[in-house]
Amino acid sequence: GAVVSQHPSWVICKSGTSVKIECRSLDFQATTMFWYRQFPKQSLMLMATSNEGSKATYEQGVEKDKFLINHASLTLSTLTVTSAHPEDSSFYICSARDFQLTGELFFGEGSRLTVL
Amino acid sequence: ELKVEQNPLFLSMQEGKNYTIYCNYSTTSDRLYWYRQDPGKSLESLFVLLSNGAVKQEGRLMASLDTKARLSTLHITAAVHDLSATYFCAVVYNNNDMRFGAGTRLTVKP
């Protein structure tokens, strides 16, 4: 199946700093990628839909100025957590749909963010 | 808005036993997925169900879909310890939006 790669796998940062997470589709083009957030022992919550070449669509309650999404190419979307605080600590997972072939959704490995 | 309800949320069972996890959803869906998640890891795709009556099996897991009842089941046969994980159903609607169930944390004990 298609591969979606996330980087970094885990990151620890100080409060007030910004952290960028990358999501790449390695062997297919993804015009749409999705960013999820997962707190411990909870389900995945969709944060935003990232569209190549246009602005992301954020879910209700997700601060767009806090979570900056850039989908600059057909294979790369980035999520930047700005001025991170401890409550932003979470597991962030991206996914991308391979529209050209099966339309199936493929998930990245996830990025664990810990804000001290 | 689509609601996806999964039950049970927690499940502890002995090896060799059978059990079924249920996934109910509230509106018409394009397709339904089952995923497995191990601690600290991302999601592993198990099944995608596209049509009413679809049944798929892989090893000790079998998934089915009843679109009229808006219900999918994940049946575990003769559970083994390696199946211990959290299982999520996820429903796609409007061709693009995906909503996840709360997850079922399965523990299989020897």
Side-chain angles (χ1 to χ4, degrees), chain A residues 34 36 38 41-44 46 59 91 93 97 99 103-105 107-110 112, chain B residues 31 33 35 37 40-43 45 48 88 92 95-96 98-103 105:
Chain A
F34 305 89
Y36 296 86
Q38 185 181 33
K41 301 181 182 181
Q42 294 188 22
S43 186
L44 279 71
L46 179 65
E59 294 299 300
F91 193 49
I93 304 176
R97 178 162 289 131
F99 279 107
E104 191 173 337
L105 202 61
F107 285 83
E109 307 96 325
R112 185 165 301 282
Chain B
R31 51 193 175 277
Y33 295 84
Y35 294 98
Q37 186 179 38
K41 300 291 181 62
S42 189
L43 301 182
S45 180
V48 54
F88 291 97
V92 175
N95 202 37
N96 205 34
M98 177 181 266
R99 289 292 181 266
F100 283 82
R105 179 168 295 182

Side-chain angles (χ1 to χ4, degrees), chain A residues 51-111:
Chain A
N51 303 299
E52 187 268 335
S54 65
K55 291 183 179 180
T57 303
Y58 289 83
E59 294 299 300
Q60 194 171 10
V62 178
E63 299 176 58
K64 59 181 69 176
D65 295 330
K66 174 76 170 175
F67 299 99
L68 301 180
I69 291 173
N70 186 314
H71 196 150
S73 76
L74 287 172
T75 59
L76 174 64
S77 175
T78 61
L79 168 68
T80 301
V81 183
T82 62
S83 187
H85 287 93
E87 58 265 29
D88 298 324
S89 299
S90 187
F91 193 49
Y92 293 87
I93 304 176
C94 73
S95 68
R97 178 162 289 131
D98 178 8
F99 279 107
Q100 291 129 339
L101 293 177
T102 64
E104 191 173 337
L105 202 61
F106 296 93
F107 285 83
E109 307 96 325
S111 299

Side-chain angles (χ1 to χ4, degrees), chain B:
Chain B
E1 183 182 324
L2 176 68
K3 291 184 179 179
V4 181
E5 292 187 356
Q6 217 175 309
N7 73 87
L9 299 180
F10 297 92
L11 175 60
S12 179
M13 55 193 294
Q14 284 190 311
E15 283 190 326
K17 298 292 186 181
N18 307 330
Y19 206 83
T20 300
I21 301 171
Y22 296 89
C23 177
N24 290 89
Y25 53 98
S26 60
T27 64
T28 303
S29 166
D30 298 320
R31 51 193 175 277
L32 187 144
Y33 295 84
W34 283 96
Y35 294 98
R36 168 182 173 145
Q37 186 179 38
D38 290 297
K41 300 291 181 62
S42 189
L43 301 182
E44 173 189 350
S45 180
L46 295 176
F47 303 106
V48 54
L49 303 169
L50 301 176
S51 60
N52 187 41
V55 176
K56 290 193 175 181
Q57 183 165 4
E58 181 73 33
R60 300 174 187 274
L61 301 178
M62 183 173 70
S64 66
L65 178 62
D66 180 344
T67 58
K68 294 181 181 178
R70 295 176 182 166
L71 169 69
S72 179
T73 62
L74 179 67
H75 186 73
I76 303 159
T77 302
V80 292
H81 180 68
D82 287 351
L83 289 179
S84 297
T86 300
Y87 294 84
F88 291 97
C89 65
V91 180
V92 175
Y93 65 111
N94 294 337
N95 202 37
N96 205 34
D97 296 324
M98 177 181 266
R99 289 292 181 266
F100 283 82
T104 299
R105 179 168 295 182
L106 171 65
T107 303
V108 181
K109 298 182 176 180

